[in-house]
Amino acid sequence: MLMDFNLFMQDIVDKAREEVTTAGYKELKTPEEVDQAMKEEGTSLVLVNSTCGCAGGVARPAAANAVHYDKRPDNLYTVFAGQDREATAKAREYFTGYEPSSPSFALLKDGKIVKMVERHEIESSEPHEVINQLQGLFDEYCEEV
């Protein structure tokens, strides 16, 4: 039995999107949506999602669990590298000083980057380690909810 590769990949992408949106992140699929989101006041966490193993095994579980904390960002967003290419490229314009990386997390305050958790910090970690790293950033930059 032959499986259609595009159908197989679309199923993976759909599940990866659903995992993040179910956790409360808003998808940004166009450059215009990214620009509008970056105009929001306060802190924003942007997950650069992907279909790689470290996204599914570490980044997405960390994204879902890190926000269950006393302090957290005002806004939760996600762009999908390799899928929503223009939106991802636009988001990366806001991540000045950092190389493109996926998966990754960007923490911004009033649309300005304050810190990134890059792929090299994710792929060699367990989800709880990334959760702790994100929550440490929340302690430093976010308000109690």
Side-chain angles (χ1 to χ4, degrees), residues 83-99:
Q83 300 300 311
D84 302 321
R85 295 174 195 268
E86 294 84 10
T88 303
K90 178 53 82 175
R92 286 177 171 154
E93 290 177 14
Y94 289 90
F95 309 158
T96 55
Y98 294 93
E99 292 294 317

Side-chain angles (χ1 to χ4, degrees), residues 50-61 102-103 119 122-124:
S50 73
T51 57
C52 71
C54 61
V58 180
R60 288 193 299 273
S102 61
R119 179 187 175 103
I122 295 169
E123 66 187 345
S124 61

Side-chain angles (χ1 to χ4, degrees), residues 16-36:
R17 287 183 190 277
E18 180 182 356
E19 215 175 319
V20 177
T21 57
T22 299
Y25 290 73
K26 179 182 179 189
E27 283 189 294
L28 306 175
K29 293 185 173 186
T30 68
E32 295 78 19
E33 289 175 344
V34 171
D35 280 337
Q36 186 61 39

Side-chain angles (χ1 to χ4, degrees), residues 42-102:
T43 52
S44 298
L45 182 66
V46 180
L47 165 63
V48 179
N49 200 357
S50 73
T51 57
C52 71
C54 61
V58 180
R60 288 193 299 273
N65 289 288
V67 296
H68 299 289
Y69 196 62
D70 292 339
K71 291 183 177 182
R72 67 172 187 237
D74 300 305
N75 308 294
L76 302 173
Y77 299 118
T78 183
V79 294
F80 207 124
Q83 300 300 311
D84 302 321
R85 295 174 195 268
E86 294 84 10
T88 303
K90 178 53 82 175
R92 286 177 171 154
E93 290 177 14
Y94 289 90
F95 309 158
T96 55
Y98 294 93
E99 292 294 317
S101 174
S102 61

Side-chain angles (χ1 to χ4, degrees), residues 128-145:
H128 68 89
E129 294 171 312
V130 176
I131 291 167
N132 290 339
Q133 188 172 5
L134 289 170
Q135 290 176 342
L137 294 175
F138 300 168
D139 280 335
E140 188 172 348
Y141 295 103
C142 299
E143 299 295 321
E144 195 165 328
V145 290

